[in-house]
Every structure is written in structure tokens, then in C-alpha cells.
Amino acid sequence: MKATGTETIKAESAGLRGPIAAEISADAPKGGLSEASYTLLKFHGTYEQFDRDTATERKQAGEDKEWSFMVRVRAPGGRLTAAQWLALDALAETYADGSLRLTSRQGVQFHGILREKLKPSIAAVDSALLTTLAACGDVVRNVVTTPAPRRDAIHIRLQAEASRLSSALLPKSGAHHEIFLDEEPVSTPDVEPLYGPTYLPRKFKIGLAHPADNTPDVLANDLGFIMQTDAAGAITGWLVTIGGGMGMTHNKPATYPRLADAVALIGPDEVLEVAEAVVRLSRDHGDRTDRKHARLKYVMAERGVEWARERLSADLGRPLLPAPPLPRFEIPDHLGWHEQGDGRWWLGLHIPAGRIVDRGEVRLRTALREAGKTLGVNPVATSQQDVLLSDVQAEDRAALEALLRSHNVPFPDAFTPVARNMLACVALPTCGQSLAEGERVRQPILDQVEAELGRLGLLGERISLRLTGCPNGCARPYQGDIGVVGKSPGMYVVFVGGDFAGTRLNFPIADKVPLDRIGATLAPLLNLWAAQRDPGEGFGDFSTRIGADACRNALLPHRQAAE
Ligand code: SRM
Ligand code: SF4
């Protein structure tokens, strides 16, 4: 079977170099990069994009597209220092479009970076003791974990393991430093001890969680570690989950979202060793002939848990214990004020779609910059695209509140639960894969759902609403109580039936729903939920209990009337 072109590009890249240096140099001709550079730049944390809003008009006028770069910064567990935040804030102003974008994996993205600014942008990230290396590409990406900056043994350990995995699993090639940081070329060819010459067949994601906090949606990851603790809170081991992933393609049933399987139970100190073995499993068994079938989730779906545990046991040279059943997960509310356990506090702020920008009266970016400068707060990016401002001294709480209020930054109580828990992917105008709007229609979609909930007196209910501009699933829409997934311009597929804790996939109930009919489409099912729910039953739980057919039937008369 023939390997894909990406495999050849990786193999011939001389350790992720390829033609990148020549093609991003200031005197290189402007316009799209070669396929080799485009592909390899992902491993360095950047995508070449063009402004999709202006592309057609410019083409008609005989002009080239407006090319720019998206740059993604890794932040294991989303942890940043005030100094790092200030450096990223300056980067947004000097080199990018003036905004920072908190991602659904606790990273930070910049958009609109022009080619001549790419190198200095990546160098600026490095100067802040952060990196863009392996933020994208066929390698282990940013490692996510519970964001709560609690200073107890559980949270300290989760964060320590996330940081350790993140550093240990970085590619070893010197190419990044050579190309972007002007370091001397290394004389010997790069050898990737873990990844090998063609790296992984596809992206690889790791998450760590505790049953009491599954904010990172650990089961959506290729590899998950769920901390096991005894009654006294001591760490007894980790439950290893393998084979999660969201991406699918509309009308291609061979592609599908999948939640990870519980595969093994390991000791407290085996996380890195087991992670390396699972990376090798993906490296050696992922399908390199078809990138739509290359993720570890397809290996797991086709080979099964027993096979995976046997392979891993053989690799590690000792038998791995079977996993106990998955625990019940909780999703605590991290927004608002919380005591950290060390006398200091964090303030969780909801950031709609993770976009940090000064817009009109709401000067969010300035407020966060000032909070870093004057109060030294250390931000934590969450997998909900929100921010937790941590390490606030008790005596500074009032000052932080006053600072935020003076910049008109809304506090969490200004948002309904459905708004606070909404995720929306970037989509247009930068994302080359989007089929419909995402972030930019977050508010109108939210307004519609809020109106329906308000009508039923259910605005206080905690519902996860997740929106993406295409089926790749960057906001994990298939785990939401409600998922809204772009199909074509202005049209969406609506899913229901996930659970709030991220342990169940939802199912589609309506196809090709126009943007302005999403609330109306959901209305009959929301009515049914309001009338027939068990006490305290969540919307996704209710939808699953009555079943996909009943959900679709509830919608049918209304959809027919609308057509
Ligand atoms: Fe994603 C591709 C944005 C989290 C599944 N994702 C993309 C690209 C790079 C588009 C592209 O390939 O050209 C998007 C860049 C848009 C832009 O203009 O910025 C993009 N993904 C994002 C972010 C920024 C969404 C957000 O709004 O927050 C998230 C960045 C996370 C980070 O910091 O690393 C982001 N992407 C995810 C997640 C969620 C997660 O990991 O928890 C998923 C689903 C989980 C998974 O991996 O299956 C996800 N992104 C994808 C896929 C589908 C992969 C698949 O197996 O089919 C693609 C397309 C691809 O890889 O070919 C993709
Ligand atoms: Fe782009 Fe699709 Fe990801 Fe949204 S889900 S950012 S449209 S790739």
C-alpha cells in the first residue's frame, strides 16, 4: 500500500527542515508555500492561511489572496506566568492581529502574522520560555489537564505530569532552533529516538484528569491518564485510556468520533514510560496510507482493548493490569472566585470563544495586561477557552475586581450557564477547513438557544453547547448536550445526547439546519425535556434516554412545517 505524500515529505525533511528556511526568508517570493513547507511548518507550530473573507473578491480583481500565518503556543495544562502573558500580549500587538485566542486545548493562538513577522514571532515565544514546537503536526501536541490552580497534592501532581510529558515528548530535532532562533546547524543528522524518521502517522493528543474534574475531556484524547486516589487522597495509580478523537467527514461513515477505551491500570510513577509505549503503538500501527484513517482511534476500534494491552505489555516487558471500569466524572465550575489552598485566590473569567481582544467598551486585552503588570496574576487557560487568573493575594481581590470593572470586563455572573459552558471553534475567516461560520456566529446561536430555554424557564440549567464550522470537531461538539456542526455556508447539523461530563457521544437529529433555525429546530425537543424530564435530568441525558428516533420524531412535524 502506498504511503501518503505527507509521509514522503516527513521522510525527506532532514529532521523537519525541508525547504522552510528558504521559503520564509524575507526575500522569498510572496504567496502560498510549497506543500513541503506547509506540511513541515505545522510541526513548528504554524499554519499558512489566507483571509477567506476577501479571497473571492481579490481573485475576481486578479489579486493574490491575503496570506498570513496562524501561530500556536503550547502551554501544558494552560499554565502561564504573568511575564509570559505580557510577552504574548506584546506579540499580539507587534506581530499579529491584536488578539490572543485561547484554544480548546489550553493553548494560545495568534492570527494574521505576515510572513516577514513569522520568525520574530516564534522567537518572541521562545524568549518567553514557551514554545510553538510540536503545537501542531504528527507528534504529541500540547498536553491538557484540569486547570484548577489548587495547591493540593492531586492538582500539583496532575500539572507536574502534564509538564513532564509535554517536554519529554517534544521532537528532538534541532531544526526549530536553527530555522527560527538562528542557532548553529547541528553537524550530525537528527535522530528521533521515539518518533523515528517519519514521526507519527497523525496528530497525537494526551490528557490527564481526576474523576472529580474532567474539564479537559480526557476521553477525546488519543491517550488519557485518569488519576486514581485512595480515601485519604493519596495517589495509587492511573487508569490509562486509549483511542479517543473527534474528527470525522460528513457522509463518510468510515470516519467517526470516538471516546477512548479504558485499557490498563498502572502505578503512580509509570506515566511517562507508558505514554512512550502508546506513542510507539500509534507510530507502528497507525495507517500511513490514509490520513483520514491514521489516528490511534481507528487502530483501537479495529484491534480492541485486549490487543492493545498485550502489545503494550510486550513493549514494556511486563504485563499491564486490566483497567477497572471508568469512574463517574464531575465537571466543577472554575469560574468566579476560588481559594487555591495556599491562602491565595483565583478568579475564573468566561471568555466567549476564547478571543482576547479590546472590542468597543470591553477592553479585555488591556485589562488582562494590566492585571499581569500591576497584580502579577498568573493566567491559566482552560479547555473551555476560558481563563483563570491565579495567585491573587487576598488583599488584591478588590483591586483586581475594580480593574476588570473599569475595563468593562463582564464577570461570570453576567452569563447564563449555557453561555458559560459554550465552546466555539475559530472557523472563518482563517481556518482553511471551515464549511460554515464558527466563532463569529457563536452569539446568534447562543441567543436562539437562550431564548428557547428562557421561554421554558430553564435558563438556569447547565447545558454544554458546542459549535464548530466543520466536522473536524475542534470544539469537541460530539460530546456536548448539544453539538452544532457546520455543513455548508449557513447550514449546520444539530446533534444532541452527549453528557455534561464528556463520557458519552451525541447523535445527529437534524441535517442542513439554517443558522437562524437552530433554536427553532431544538424547541420541540426542549419542550419535551421540560415536560417529561426526571428530576434534575440533563438535556443530553434526557435525549439519550428517549432515544434518537424519539428525538427526531419530536422534530419532524415542525421541520416539515418549516420546509
Ligand atoms: Fe483543531 C485542524 C483549530 C482543537 C480536531 N484545528 C485544525 C486547524 C489547524 C485547521 C487546518 O487543519 O487547517 C484549525 C486552525 C483554525 C484557525 O484558524 O486557527 C484548528 N483545533 C483548533 C483550535 C484552535 C480550536 C479552537 O477554536 O480552540 C484548537 C487548538 C488546540 C490546541 O491548542 O492545540 C483545536 N482540534 C481540536 C480538538 C479538540 C481537542 O483536541 O480537545 C479536536 C478534536 C479532537 C481530535 O483531535 O480528534 C481537533 N483539528 C481537528 C481536526 C480533525 C482531526 C481528525 O482526526 O480528523 C483537524 C483537521 C486535521 O487534522 O486534518 C483540525
Ligand atoms: Fe476549522 Fe473545522 Fe476546526 Fe472549526 S472544527 S477550527 S472549522 S477545522
Side-chain angles (χ1 to χ4, degrees):
M1 291 263 259
K2 202 173 170 308
T4 61
T6 304
E7 291 300 310
T8 312
I9 289 171
K10 289 186 280 185
E12 293 174 355
S13 71
L16 303 177
R17 288 176 181 80
I20 294 176
E23 292 193 17
I24 62 162
S25 74
D27 48 1
K30 299 284 174 265
L33 297 163
S34 68
E35 193 191 340
S37 285
Y38 179 82
T39 302
L40 295 170
L41 274 168
K42 297 182 189 177
F43 291 77
H44 298 281
T46 178
Y47 270 72
E48 188 179 52
Q49 303 180 318
F50 60 89
D51 186 339
R52 293 186 56 190
D53 283 346
T54 61
T56 309
E57 207 177 297
R58 289 176 70 91
K59 191 171 179 195
Q60 282 161 358
E63 291 168 6
D64 194 7
K65 294 167 176 157
E66 290 186 273
W67 297 98
S68 67
F69 288 87
M70 175 271 273
V71 167
R72 186 181 289 169
V73 180
R74 289 161 71 99
R79 265 62 174 189
L80 295 162
T81 63
Q84 287 171 333
W85 185 260
L86 295 179
L88 296 182
D89 177 84
L91 194 165
E93 187 64 31
T94 318
Y95 301 126
D97 66 358
S99 77
L100 298 96
R101 177 59 158 66
L102 305 182
T103 75
S104 59
R105 285 193 73 75
Q106 300 187 290
V108 182
Q109 280 193 183
F110 298 92
H111 291 104
I113 296 179
L114 299 179
R115 186 179 294 200
E116 55 275 23
K117 304 284 172 58
L118 181 62
K119 246 177 99 162
S121 302
I122 292 180
V125 171
D126 189 78
S127 304
L129 304 180
L130 291 165
T131 189
T132 66
L133 177 62
C136 320
D138 297 343
V139 277
V140 174
R141 308 283 191 90
N142 193 33
V143 180
V144 292
T145 189
T146 156
R150 289 194 189 284
R151 309 304 178 203
D152 60 18
I154 290 175
H155 289 82
I156 290 171
R157 182 65 182 275
L158 283 166
Q159 179 55 30
E161 293 289 355
S163 298
R164 192 159 73 106
L165 287 172
S166 186
S167 316
L169 302 174
L170 279 174
K172 304 290 179 264
S173 164
H176 189 73
H177 287 69
E178 221 177 277
I179 299 170
F180 295 101
L181 309 172
D182 290 332
E183 289 182 9
E184 288 298 310
V186 283
S187 53
T188 50
D190 286 292
V191 178
E192 290 289 355
L194 177 61
Y195 292 119
T198 46
Y199 296 84
L200 300 182
R202 208 56 166 87
K203 57 177 69 169
F204 190 101
K205 299 181 172 178
I206 304 182
L208 299 102
H210 184 273
D213 189 347
N214 186 31
T215 312
D217 276 338
V218 71
L219 301 180
N221 288 264
D222 296 85
L223 170 60
F225 292 99
I226 301 161
M227 186 187 272
Q228 309 287 290
T229 44
D230 63 18
I235 298 158
T236 56
W238 302 84
L239 195 162
V240 181
T241 60
I242 304 181
M246 293 282 111
M248 66 161 197
T249 307
H250 288 307
N251 305 327
K252 286 226 167 97
T255 66
Y256 44 83
R258 184 174 195 276
L259 295 183
D261 300 306
V263 173
L265 183 65
I266 62 167
D269 299 318
E270 295 175 337
V271 167
L272 178 55
E273 198 188 351
V274 170
E276 286 176 342
V278 180
V279 168
R280 285 190 288 271
L281 190 77
S282 168
R283 180 193 70 190
D284 299 342
H285 296 278
D287 182 355
R288 290 182 187 261
T289 68
D290 178 1
R291 288 184 67 77
K292 293 245 176 244
H293 185 246
R295 292 288 288 271
L296 190 53
K297 66 179 176 180
Y298 296 113
V299 177
M300 290 302 294
E302 288 154 27
R303 307 272 197 139
V305 168
E306 298 299 325
W307 173 87
R309 197 167 49 246
E310 276 166 26
R311 296 295 323 158
L312 293 170
S313 299
D315 180 319
L316 292 162
R318 61 173 191 279
L320 286 179
L321 290 177
L326 282 170
R328 199 186 135 77
F329 285 109
E330 305 287 334
I331 309 278
D333 185 353
H334 297 300
L335 302 183
W337 281 112
H338 298 262
E339 214 269 333
Q340 295 181 173
D342 61 357
R344 293 179 296 173
W345 294 75
W346 88 77
L347 175 62
L349 292 179
H350 172 56
I351 312 289
R355 185 68 69 178
I356 295 182
V357 66
D358 286 351
R359 194 176 280 143
E361 297 288 290
V362 182
R363 287 173 297 128
L364 175 62
R365 206 188 112 209
T366 304
L368 296 188
R369 180 172 62 245
E370 291 305 316
K373 258 193 215 160
T374 59
L375 300 171
V377 302
N378 298 314
V380 181
T382 80
S383 302
Q384 299 274 40
Q385 303 172 324
D386 292 330
V387 71
L388 313 182
L389 302 176
S390 75
D391 301 326
V392 183
Q393 303 291 348
E395 58 273 24
D396 289 339
R397 284 178 56 180
L400 179 58
E401 284 197 11
L403 190 156
L404 295 169
R405 287 192 207 288
S406 68
H407 290 81
N408 299 311
V409 173
F411 280 65
D413 56 9
F415 299 97
T416 62
V418 66
R420 288 160 68 129
N421 291 294
M422 185 169 182
L423 282 172
C425 79
V426 177
L428 292 166
T430 52
C431 177
Q433 308 246 5
S434 54
L435 306 173
E437 294 280 358
E439 183 179 336
R440 294 196 296 197
V441 297
R442 178 192 170 282
Q443 193 61 46
I445 289 177
L446 175 62
D447 289 345
Q448 292 174 45
V449 175
E450 283 183 339
E452 297 302 336
L453 291 172
R455 181 177 58 76
L456 294 164
L458 293 172
L459 258 184
E461 292 292 322
R462 213 158 80 133
I463 289 187
S464 59
L465 169 59
R466 296 177 171 192
L467 164 68
T468 59
C470 88
N472 280 329
C474 297
R476 301 183 291 278
Y478 313 114
Q479 287 171 296
D481 287 298
I482 304 172
V484 178
V485 175
K487 177 124 192 210
S488 58
M491 295 288 190
Y492 294 82
V493 185
V494 176
F495 293 72
V496 298
D499 65 343
F500 199 85
T503 62
R504 190 175 58 224
L505 290 178
N506 52 23
F507 46 85
I509 51 163
D511 197 356
K512 293 191 204 143
V513 179
L515 169 63
D516 61 1
R517 301 266 324 149
I518 289 169
T521 300
L522 283 164
L525 195 54
L526 291 168
N527 292 346
L528 219 54
W529 175 49
Q532 297 178 7
R533 66 193 293 219
D534 289 338
E537 190 176 30
F539 180 58
D541 295 337
F542 171 79
S543 309
T544 293
R545 177 165 65 78
I546 66 168
D549 286 344
C551 290
R552 290 178 194 130
N553 287 341
L555 267 44
L556 217 53
H558 303 259
R559 293 213 80 201
Q560 280 164 347
E563 275 160 14

